Amino acid sequence: MRKIFVLFLIIFKIFAYRYAIVVSNATYSLNDWREVCDSLAFKHSARIFLYNNSIYDVLSQLQNYQPDYICFIGRPVSEVNRQFVRDCHQFSRQLDDDPYGDAVWGIITGFTAEDALRITRYDSLWVRTVLGGTNCTWDYWLEKGISTYEAEYNRIKFKFPDGTTLDTIWPERCPTDRCTLLVNYLNNGINDTVPNRPRIVGDIDIFVTSGHANQWQWQLHYPSSGYEGFFRSNNGQLRGDPYSGSSRNINSTNPKLYFAVGNCLMGDVVDMNCMVLAWFHTGGAIQMTGYIVETWYGYMLWGLPAYYHYLQGRTTYAQAFYLNNQALIFDQINNTPGTNPSGLEYDKNNVAFYGDPACQTRIYPVREPYYSESIEIRPGLNRDTFIIRIIANYDSSALGFSGVSGARHPIVFLPVRVESIEVETTNAHSVVITDNFCLLYVWYQGQRKFVRGEERFVRFTAKRKQVEIKEISFKIRKGAFAKKIEGEIYDIFGRRVKKLKKGIYFIKDKKKLKVIKL
């Protein structure tokens, strides 16, 4: 009898990053929440750390594990609340001895466990279409979208796919009360035309809001409510309540980021009726940032676009959140000119990031990033040499703290974790190099700004920390088959660093594989 010879193509990833899931024993013992944890663990080849009373119960274990990402999974209110957010900030800085954060982190929760499970199922999102309940959307760094103005009736701004904009007063397109307009865009996406301009089409990838808010509502108009309505939440349902007329439920299914950039208390999971849970239950959010207190200084969210929008896809939303917090800590330690010490301390631990921290939510690039970066590694016998360069891509670039909603210090993620760091030379004022990033302090207020093409660099030597790579296995069926195997190695930030050689494997029996061709 002739043997059957069937060719299968199996493509797998060998994850070169460590991902930790931190969850309570009580939550993990519940079947629906265990499914959330197991789904995420399978997705990232992650290790689950169980605690009884506090996340600090597993601190020593994570200090040994040295994760690149930490996802804190918890049930709302009883576990995930204001104090929990603060604990996550502080916990993530205690994995080594320096004062900076040691892992990109996020919190996954939900009105139901199914909401949390839905979040784990998304691997990536290209952020292309913006909707603004505020004009502060950084749309010049985005492909397309529509922004409205919370302090001016009937004003609307169109960002067209060809890079042009139209900012105008247009009551027919932007009513005095924008409530129903914004609900329609969230529920149905944008499909708008303006004479002699390209059509704007797309589901909303990022929704941005500012102005007065609390845990249960966002006031559309600013500073008074005026003639506009509210977005409100109750029992997991997000809705729009117009100034007059019937309420409209927001039931949006496409994945999106909710960037509550200037709203008080929007990130606080205070009860089951709060906005956070509604955005994940019916608003379609897969990631969200928001203040857990009243906002006044604004460093942590108004500055986030410096590491997200400005870098044009180089970072994810979670990485940008992380980097901005590291810049804050640097400014606090160094008393950077222009910063407010009280404001920095206020913002340091009072903003939440919800969602899978390793989800690849990136800005779709439409222009040059604010600055370019390069990393050169020269391997040595005992120590490697690293050369990091930053090059300004625009004239009048302020590559440092230029204001609460302005630019930030260049920070470069290192492709490997390092230790025993020794700086050889730099033309920066100073540098901070931790085991996973390098911050270059190259500009502060009062100095002349950079011109296009101007460069700063640092050259240092360091030893590489060993990174655990998990063994990949798969089940095979009985019989005589050939399997074609392809492999890819990804670094800690999801970038492919190597494509492995192809191999044809022949199954001699149900237990052994023999390589017959490379």
Side-chain angles (χ1 to χ4, degrees):
M1 183 176 179
R2 203 168 72 182
K3 290 185 177 181
I4 300 173
F5 189 81
V6 182
L7 190 66
F8 290 91
L9 178 66
I10 300 177
I11 299 176
F12 60 88
K13 297 178 182 179
I14 298 176
F15 291 92
Y17 61 78
R18 292 183 177 90
Y19 192 110
I21 297 169
V22 178
V23 60
S24 71
N25 269 304
T27 295
Y28 194 66
S29 67
L30 301 174
N31 289 337
D32 52 355
W33 284 96
R34 176 175 291 196
E35 186 179 1
V36 176
C37 300
D38 292 347
S39 171
L40 200 63
F42 178 80
K43 176 181 174 181
H44 295 296
S45 191
R47 186 175 298 178
I48 298 174
F49 296 84
L50 301 173
Y51 66 87
N52 288 319
N53 301 310
S54 163
I55 60 176
Y56 286 96
D57 294 348
V58 296
L59 178 59
S60 63
Q61 296 176 47
L62 267 76
Q63 287 171 336
N64 292 329
Y65 184 55
Q66 287 291 298
D68 302 297
Y69 296 95
I70 306 174
C71 185
F72 301 94
I73 296 179
R75 289 168 289 161
V77 187
S78 61
E79 292 178 334
V80 176
N81 49 43
R82 184 181 296 189
Q83 187 55 49
F84 189 81
V85 171
R86 291 169 175 159
D87 287 343
C88 292
H89 273 285
Q90 295 164 5
F91 181 97
S92 67
R93 302 186 192 113
Q94 297 181 35
L95 305 189
D96 60 26
D97 294 333
D98 66 54
Y100 294 94
D102 304 307
V104 178
W105 63 271
I107 299 169
I108 288 183
T109 190
F111 184 73
T112 65
E114 179 60 33
D115 295 335
L117 183 63
R118 180 183 64 87
I119 295 170
T120 71
R121 291 171 175 159
Y122 288 96
D123 295 319
S124 61
L125 175 67
W126 281 114
V127 177
R128 307 177 72 157
T129 306
V130 61
L131 176 64
T134 174
N135 62 304
C136 302
T137 60
W138 295 268
D139 54 14
Y140 43 93
W141 296 100
L142 290 160
E143 182 183 22
K144 55 191 177 356
I146 291 176
S147 304
T148 59
Y149 288 70
E150 71 264 44
E152 189 171 354
Y153 295 119
N154 309 125
R155 188 173 175 185
I156 188 169
K157 182 180 180 183
F158 301 88
K159 171 64 188 299
F160 301 101
D162 64 356
T164 62
T165 61
L166 174 64
D167 190 341
T168 184
I169 303 295
W170 197 348
E172 293 79 12
R173 298 295 291 273
C174 184
T176 299
D177 182 6
R178 298 165 295 142
C179 187
T180 299
L181 177 74
L182 296 177
V183 170
N184 287 340
Y185 282 140
L186 287 167
N187 283 344
N188 305 311
I190 297 175
N191 190 350
D192 280 29
T193 58
V194 174
N196 303 315
R197 298 295 185 106
R199 182 183 291 268
I200 301 174
V201 181
D203 289 331
I204 305 306
D205 299 318
I206 183 170
F207 183 49
V208 187
T209 60
S210 184
H212 291 314
N214 60 35
Q215 293 93 332
W216 310 277
Q217 69 177 23
W218 166 52
Q219 176 185 300
L220 270 71
H221 202 69
Y222 180 87
S224 67
S225 60
Y227 298 105
E228 296 202 76
F230 294 80
F231 274 23
R232 292 190 171 104
S233 58
N234 184 66
N235 200 35
Q237 179 65 57
L238 191 64
R239 71 178 191 274
D241 290 335
Y243 180 77
S244 61
S246 301
S247 296
R248 290 280 307 280
N249 283 342
I250 297 171
N251 294 309
S252 182
T253 57
N254 69 286
K256 64 180 64 64
L257 312 182
Y258 178 37
F259 186 20
V261 61
N263 300 119
C264 297
L265 299 163
M266 195 69 83
D268 184 18
V269 181
V270 68
D271 60 26
M272 295 301 291
N273 296 312
C274 70
M275 293 287 275
V276 173
L277 302 182
W279 271 105
F280 287 112
H281 191 59
T282 71
I286 61 171
Q287 291 181 334
M288 172 183 172
T289 52
Y291 277 89
I292 60 173
V293 292
E294 293 83 0
T295 175
W296 64 273
Y297 189 53
Y299 185 109
M300 266 304 295
L301 288 188
W302 287 105
L304 188 153
Y307 292 115
Y308 192 49
H309 299 71
Y310 294 6
L311 298 188
Q312 290 289 278
R314 189 183 301 155
T315 61
T316 67
Y317 194 41
Q319 289 170 355
F321 180 86
Y322 166 84
L323 291 178
N324 198 40
N325 197 248
Q326 309 323 303
L328 183 153
I329 294 169
F330 176 85
D331 287 339
Q332 191 174 43
I333 292 172
N334 292 275
N335 196 26
T336 300
T339 59
N340 180 321
S342 298
L344 295 174
E345 182 62 28
Y346 186 83
D347 269 36
K348 187 175 181 179
N349 301 317
N350 280 327
V351 185
F353 184 94
Y354 296 105
D356 176 3
C359 186
Q360 299 295 299
T361 47
R362 297 179 186 270
I363 296 289
Y364 183 80
V366 296
R367 60 190 298 180
E368 281 190 300
Y370 195 56
Y371 58 85
S372 297
E373 66 180 48
S374 66
I375 305 175
E376 180 184 351
I377 303 178
R378 299 176 182 174
L381 291 177
N382 298 312
R383 301 175 64 81
D384 295 336
T385 299
F386 298 77
I387 302 172
I388 295 177
R389 292 183 173 88
I390 297 296
I391 301 175
N393 285 332
Y394 298 89
D395 288 337
S396 298
S397 294
L399 301 184
F401 178 81
S402 64
V404 169
S405 60
R408 293 288 187 269
H409 312 289
I411 307 180
V412 178
F413 279 116
L414 301 178
V416 294
R417 285 189 178 264
V418 298
E419 58 187 355
S420 303
I421 300 153
E422 295 180 6
V423 174
E424 291 187 342
T425 183
T426 182
N427 60 354
H429 297 310
S430 63
V431 296
V432 171
I433 305 170
T434 70
D435 63 334
N436 67 332
F437 72 79
C438 173
L439 181 152
L440 287 86
Y441 187 32
V442 298
W443 181 91
Y444 52 82
Q445 291 184 12
Q447 293 189 307
R448 71 163 183 83
K449 295 182 179 180
F450 280 61
V451 297
R452 180 181 175 87
E454 193 168 355
E455 178 185 293
R456 294 293 183 269
F457 77 94
V458 60
R459 175 185 172 125
F460 66 93
T461 64
K463 294 181 179 180
R464 299 193 189 197
K465 287 186 176 181
Q466 295 300 311
V467 176
E468 174 184 311
I469 298 179
K470 291 181 167 31
E471 180 181 348
I472 304 297
S473 62
F474 53 88
K475 294 181 180 179
I476 56 177
R477 293 180 293 177
K478 296 180 182 179
F481 299 93
K483 292 185 179 286
K484 182 180 180 182
I485 309 299
E486 292 187 22
E488 297 173 340
I489 295 179
Y490 285 71
D491 69 14
I492 61 174
F493 305 112
R495 299 171 295 205
R496 191 177 78 175
V497 296
K498 187 175 183 181
K499 187 176 180 66
L500 302 181
K501 292 181 179 179
K502 298 179 181 179
I504 303 296
Y505 294 82
F506 184 75
I507 302 171
K508 294 185 65 176
D509 56 42
K510 63 182 180 181
K511 293 183 179 179
K512 297 180 180 179
L513 290 177
K514 181 181 178 181
V515 179
I516 61 173
K517 181 180 179 183
L518 284 176

